[in-house]
Amino acid sequence: MFYAYVFFLIASGVLMLVMGILRAPYARRSRVVNLIMGAGFAIYGLYLLLFFQGGHYILFFYAFALPVLMTVRFFRARSAYQAAQSMTPGGPGGYGQPPAGYGQPGGYGQPGGYGQPPAGYGQPSGYGQPPAGYGQPGGYGQQPPFQP
């Protein structure tokens, strides 16, 4: 029973140290708690394993519950962070959502000319007339006209 408790102390301490060392943007607040508790559990477990000669030792019930609670809290914060990232306009869209920036800047609204026929639809082309903007130099910051 003693060595199982010592092993669990060391393993849970190392697990909490790993969660505390990760520089995840979603776990900033709990990093300090994970580091302090993980160091405490690991040091106490190593003390019991290496230097304890027998006699009376303190059995922390938190050694069984706290690592589980901290792991659940870590992954819950991770899933909340990922959900918040998917809801931002610059993030990936959800299921059935058009991609950000669809149609207008800012990602809202209908695409330009929605429901309208394309320009020149059903109109006779002007025979012998050059297309609009033909031969004109493009202005500053503008693209040249499309040439087939």
Side-chain angles (χ1 to χ4, degrees):
M1 170 81 178
F2 174 75
Y3 288 109
Y5 175 66
V6 169
F7 172 75
F8 195 76
L9 270 175
I10 294 171
S12 62
V14 169
L15 175 70
M16 287 193 290
L17 282 173
V18 168
M19 286 188 298
I21 290 172
L22 291 177
R23 291 183 179 244
Y26 48 84
R28 288 184 180 144
R29 287 183 235 145
S30 63
R31 281 182 64 203
V32 175
V33 174
N34 278 333
L35 286 172
I36 291 171
M37 298 304 288
F41 281 20
I43 290 170
Y44 185 61
L46 288 173
Y47 164 76
L48 289 177
L49 182 66
L50 300 175
F51 301 112
F52 188 67
Q53 298 296 322
H56 178 71
Y57 64 94
I58 300 171
L59 182 69
F60 289 110
F61 290 107
Y62 288 117
F64 301 107
L66 189 64
V68 174
L69 293 175
M70 295 301 283
T71 305
V72 167
R73 183 176 174 186
F74 178 81
F75 285 109
R76 192 174 286 173
R78 177 182 172 199
S79 64
Y81 175 77
Q82 289 174 346
Q85 287 294 339
S86 68
M87 297 302 283
T88 59
Y95 294 108
Q97 298 293 325
Y102 189 71
Q104 294 181 3
Y108 303 107
Q110 298 292 332
Y114 186 77
Q116 302 295 324
Y121 183 78
Q123 301 293 326
S125 62
Y127 294 108
Q129 298 293 327
Y134 184 78
Q136 299 293 324
Y140 180 74
Q142 297 177 352
Q143 294 181 350
F146 175 73
Q147 297 182 7

